[in-house]
């Protein structure tokens, strides 16, 4: 399943995020996102807006289409 | 004066770097709380004259993604500095130490300022500073930059700093990468460069900024070959997916071993205040209304409730007691009629006409600082992203635009934090449409004369018009010039922090003093010149203003402006001088219509109708960026083409839009 399929406030572990576009991927790595790391979907904004995720005690916002490319497992 | 020490301040974004800078230097610096607010290299003198402190943009790793991050690579290889002060967020040690490791690999004398030790303690993170310091081999000083705690110890450290040589940290990156490092360093021996191993590692990580620092580099192909070979070897041997990830993992393993011995965490997680506030301000339905509501509140306070009465008081003082006092002083010292006219009609009305807006401008800057320092600005970027995506930009671009409300110059510079070159250029081109505080005096003069009852509403409509035009231009440009580049968005949301009064005042003053300085230089000089042009004419001095040089120059342009409804030489001359700085429009008008306050409005009513007055304000909003903004656009875009383009399309959009407003208004009988 991908990150956006989680319920709001639900936690999961990152399985694979190599499909995310290169620049965003690099930034995510810098911010501490990596495989097997716990990730929480905090909020999705309306009208297909960006979503807010939390990982390693840090809140990050990315677009919905990028979040869909992050595979997670519960 | 050359100082003995040059200390580079380096750290991740949102770690309180700028607060520390202020505490250590005691200088008036600008503090921000969103990723990459420090867009320029700033230098301050450390207290007790101990040396220079150089503030660098916040970065997560040396290898740059956005333009402002590239500054650090350039700096580390180019500029001479004696020490590095690495600021580290104690509550985010694991992530912060990635940068620390890269700095240690460079092998420069370094000290760590471990910031936010109070936040870390609250989260149950216990750090053994001694142990961390001895494993890293460099001093670690616990501090709380916001309150200044521990900063004395840092200053003392630099006071007693004795130079010792430091050996670069060398991690073992495994046989595959190590052999690649060896091959690259041997390539680099052909060039006169230092830190070869460090450079090799950075190149492998994808830091292409390194190459531009090597003069006459000609082994680009070999390098690319080494990188791709190494990467595929890592993949084949199932070690890692990319070079970057592999290097990151090795460093992380090292960091984990460090933290195991020096940090203990008593786990407890409870919803923080930030979570609760975020639940409201980024709410599904309420997010955008809350943002608009806050903006509305800001405008009402600036223009209606607080700013306007204060400006009125100041104006009464300038035109009343101050003018009288100067007048009697000039009479006492027996000044000539020429000097008296110059001082009273030129300087006092020109400079004074602009200075009366100080209250409004400071209130506006206060709110902008509040937005930045509290961390709300980053949420605005998130809330606005969906809308911005529709016009080919991302939410981050909204921040330079809001900063542009204060002044377009820092707005254009703030665009550096945007990762995609296309979105950055677009943001730069849009910022001049944001109605900066210098345009405020123009509006205030006109709404006072023509729209006394609806002041705030009319001004708000101009701000919104500016945004609207910017959005249309963005849409057009992103679907023509740049249609092939994809827009991206990723943003770190820092926790909310209650801004401290001292910091808020500092950043308000820092922004506002530029306005006062302009009044003393540009506007002062401009006023004298304009007054002189209005005082002298082809037939001599003290001519009727309609026969002056100013009328002559304005008269040349005036015919072009007739279709817009303000084809007078006065309007043309003020617009012309407004290129210098937009406030000068008001200075010029105050000089041209030099009449007591009570009559000024009557005078303006003769020259403008409410419709053409509104048209004039729209024209001033859009027509050309001021001189300073044009200069910074050229600097930031590295191109004269974009600079001229920004002037040309500003002028044409202004002309066409005002033409429509005036002609349609006339048709429906508004004139």
């Amino acid at each position: 399943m991908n990150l956006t399929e989680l319920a709001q406030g639900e936690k999961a572990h990152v399985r694979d995020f190599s499909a995310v576009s290169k620049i965003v991927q690099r930034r995510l790595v810098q911010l501490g996102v990596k495989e097997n790391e716990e990730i929480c979907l905090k909020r999705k904004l309306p009208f297909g807006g960006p979503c807010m995720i939390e990982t390693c005690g840090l809140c990050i916002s990315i677009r919905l289409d990028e979040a869909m490319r992050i595979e997670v497992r519960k | 004066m050359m100082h003995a020490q040059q200390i580079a301040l380096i750290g991740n974004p949102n770690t309180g770097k700028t607060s520390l800078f202020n505490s250590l230097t005691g200088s008036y610096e600008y503090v921000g709380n969103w990723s990459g607010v420090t867009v320029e290299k700033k230098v301050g003198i450390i207290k007790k004259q101990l040396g220079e402190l150089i503030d660098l943009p916040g970065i997560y790793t040396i290898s740059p993604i956005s333009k402002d991050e590239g500054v650090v690579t350039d700096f580390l290889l180019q500029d001479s500095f004696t020490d590095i002060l690495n600021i580290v967020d104690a509550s985010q040690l694991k992530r912060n130490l990635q940068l620390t490791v890269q700095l240690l690999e460079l092998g420069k004398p370094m000290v760590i300022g471990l910031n936010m030790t109070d936040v870390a303690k609250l989260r149950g993170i216990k750090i053994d500073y001694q142990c961390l310091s001895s494993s890293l081999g460099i001093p670690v000083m616990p501090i709380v930059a916001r309150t200044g705690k521990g900063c004395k110890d840092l200053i003392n450290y630099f006071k007693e700093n004795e130079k010792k040589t430091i050996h670069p940290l060398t991690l073992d990156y495994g046989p595959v990468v190590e052999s690649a490092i060896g091959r690259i360093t041997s390539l680099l021996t052909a060039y006169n460069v230092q830190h070869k191993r460090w450079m090799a590692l950075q190149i492998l990580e994808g830091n292409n900024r390194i190459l531009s620092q090597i003069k006459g580099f000609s082994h680009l192909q070999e390098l690319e070959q080494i990188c791709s070979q190494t990467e595929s070897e890592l993949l084949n041997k199932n070690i890692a997916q990319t070079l970057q990830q592999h290097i990151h993992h090795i460093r992380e393993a090292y960091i984990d071993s460090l933290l195991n011995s020096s940090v203990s965490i008593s786990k407890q997680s409870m919803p923080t205040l930030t979570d609760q506030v975020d639940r409201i301000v980024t709410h599904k339905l309420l997010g955008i209304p809350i943002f608009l509501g806050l903006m509305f509140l800001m405008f009402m306070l600036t223009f209606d409730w607080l700013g306007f009465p204060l400006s009125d008081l100041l104006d009464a003082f300038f035109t009343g007691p101050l003018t009288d006092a100067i007048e009697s002083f000039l009479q006492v010292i027996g000044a000539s009629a020429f000097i008296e006219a110059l001082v009273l009609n030129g300087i006092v009305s020109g400079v004074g006409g602009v200075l009366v807006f100080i209250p409004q401008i400071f209130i506006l800057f206060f709110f902008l600082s509040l937005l930045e320092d509290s961390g709300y600005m980053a949420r605005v970027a998130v809330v606005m992203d969906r809308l911005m995506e529709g016009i080919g930009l991302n939410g981050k671009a909204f921040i330079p635009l809001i900063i542009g409300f204060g002044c377009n110059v820092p707005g254009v510079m703030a665009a550096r934090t945007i990762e995609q070159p296309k979105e950055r250029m677009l943001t730069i081109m849009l910022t001049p449409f944001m109605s900066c505080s210098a345009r405020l005096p123009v509006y205030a003069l006109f709404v006072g004369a023509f729209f006394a009852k609806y002041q705030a509403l009319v001004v708000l409509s101009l701000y919104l018009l500016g945004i609207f035009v910017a959005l249309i231009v963005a849409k057009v440009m992103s679907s023509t010039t740049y249609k092939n580049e994809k827009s991206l968005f990723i943003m770190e949301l820092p926790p909310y922090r209650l801004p401290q009064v001292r910091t808020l005042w500092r950043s308000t003053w820092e922004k506002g003093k530029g306005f006062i300085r302009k009044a003393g230089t540009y506007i002062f000089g401009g006023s004298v010149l304009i007054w002189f042009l209005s005082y002298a004419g082809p037939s001599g001095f003290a001519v009727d203003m309609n026969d002056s040089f100013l009328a002559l120059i304005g008269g040349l342009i005036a015919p072009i402006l007739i279709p817009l409804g303000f084809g007078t030489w006065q309007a043309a001359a003020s617009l012309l001088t407004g290129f210098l700085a937009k406030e000068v429009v008001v200075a010029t008008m105050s000089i041209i219509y030099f009449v007591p306050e009570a009559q000024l409005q009557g005078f303006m009513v003769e020259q403008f109708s409410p419709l053409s007055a509104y048209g004039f304000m729209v024209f001033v909003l859009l027509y050309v960026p001021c001189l300073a903004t044009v200069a910074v656009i050229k600097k930031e875009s590295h191109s004269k083409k974009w600079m001229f383009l920004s002037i040309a399309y500003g002028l044409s959009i202004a002309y066409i839009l005002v033409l429509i407003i005036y002609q349609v208004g006339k048709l429906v009988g508004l004139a």
Side-chain angles (χ1 to χ4, degrees), chain B residues 455-495:
Chain B
Q455 303 211 12
L457 268 182
V458 170
V459 176
L460 187 66
S461 78
L462 287 163
Y463 275 78
L464 293 177
L465 183 72
I467 298 175
F468 183 70
V469 170
L471 297 186
I472 302 278
V473 171
K475 181 75 199 164
V476 171
M477 283 177 90
S478 64
S479 49
T480 53
T481 323
Y482 287 123
K483 60 182 165 197
N484 296 324
E485 272 188 70
K486 196 176 166 266
S487 149
L488 290 173
F489 176 69
I490 175 164
M491 180 123 195
E492 180 191 346
L493 301 176

Side-chain angles (χ1 to χ4, degrees), chain A residues 5-20:
Chain A
E5 288 167 299
L6 293 177
Q8 215 162 83
E10 200 177 7
K11 283 177 187 160
H13 292 269
V14 177
R15 212 165 59 82
D16 180 23
F17 62 111
S18 54
V20 176

Side-chain angles (χ1 to χ4, degrees), chain B residues 280-291:
Chain B
I280 302 167
V281 300
T282 59
H283 186 271
K284 269 186 183 181
L285 304 172
L286 298 178
I288 289 179
I290 286 177
F291 169 64

